[in-house]
Amino acid sequence: EVQLVESGGGLVQPGGSLRLSCVESEFTSSTYWMNWVRQAPGKGLEWVANINQDGSEKTYVDSVKGRFTISRDNAKNSLYLQMNSLRAEDTAVYYCTRGSTFDIWGQGTMVTVSS
Amino acid sequence: AIRMTQSPSSFSASTGDRVTITCRASQTVGSFLSWFQQKPGKAPQLLISTASILQSGAPSRFSGSGSGTEFTLTISRLQSEDFATYYCQQYYTYPITFGQGTRLDIK
């Protein structure tokens, strides 16, 4: 069974940085687009960014453009989200998900931006 | 951005009921529409993609229909494990957007 496991969340001050990681268990993710989706406490789902199979195409929601960078290392079966200039409104559980249909999700990692 | 609006936002039903949730898009999304189920403290799970294709492992009591701007998710006979929040999502164009969610509670 394919599994995605996120890590790297935590408490960070406004203006700080964090790097999230997502590792896939079965070495299938290199053939898929990959996504990051977030969910603020008690709120709905928000797509954040995605990346194509070889990392040459990346797309972001407007609210994170210029601050977040999605990347991948297929040799390590890993997806990343570098988050800079963090704001309170970035506080959320961050999920990595597989493919254009989001068919597999990780368990999520919590990011809290607070002083 | 395409706005996805679900109705109702919440409602109560009983085990065995047939329920329908509607999702409307502010402009056409073709059939690039998915439905997800989320239980408290858990990650969402894909139920239906391409408006009507049931995901492998999803129970057959779930079905989806629609195209263009109006879509429905139907649960034919509610089971106890179906009480959850449901989200529609369009992946026709960027930014990919979700509906606000429909919370389904036990009556």
Side-chain angles (χ1 to χ4, degrees), chain B residues 7-43:
Chain B
S7 59
S9 293
S10 65
F11 72 106
S12 299
S14 300
T15 303
D17 284 353
R18 177 184 178 91
V19 302
T20 298
I21 299 169
T22 298
C23 176
R24 289 185 174 86
S26 60
Q27 60 192 79
T28 186
V29 299
S31 294
F32 293 92
L33 189 286
S34 290
W35 290 97
F36 296 87
Q37 177 193 68
Q38 187 178 33
K39 297 181 179 178
K42 300 294 186 181

Side-chain angles (χ1 to χ4, degrees), chain A:
Chain A
E1 179 185 351
V2 175
Q3 291 188 331
L4 299 172
V5 179
E6 301 96 336
S7 61
L11 174 63
V12 61
Q13 292 188 338
S17 298
L18 276 178
R19 187 193 195 209
L20 306 183
S21 299
C22 171
V23 178
E24 192 247 308
S25 61
E26 299 292 331
F27 293 90
T28 67
S29 63
S30 62
T31 63
Y32 291 86
W33 284 72
M34 296 294 291
N35 309 271
W36 288 99
V37 174
R38 66 185 178 183
Q39 186 169 36
K43 302 296 184 182
L45 301 169
E46 181 183 36
W47 171 80
V48 173
N50 69 3
I51 187 169
N52 72 339
Q53 289 88 339
D54 65 5
S56 61
E57 296 182 42
K58 305 173 185 182
T59 311
Y60 301 90
V61 69
D62 282 352
S63 59
V64 308
K65 281 180 184 175
R67 301 188 299 124
F68 290 12
T69 301
I70 190 171
S71 62
R72 66 192 301 164
D73 184 339
N74 289 335
K76 296 182 178 180
N77 228 32
S78 294
L79 175 72
Y80 305 102
L81 187 67
Q82 177 67 45
M83 304 186 296
N84 299 330
S85 303
L86 282 161
R87 306 167 179 167
E89 55 265 34
D90 296 317
T91 294
V93 175
Y94 284 73
Y95 298 100
C96 63
T97 82
R98 189 184 77 168
S100 58
T101 59
F102 297 55
D103 63 347
I104 305 291
W105 294 63
Q107 85 288 351
T109 187
M110 183 70 205
V111 172
T112 303
V113 184
S114 174
S115 54

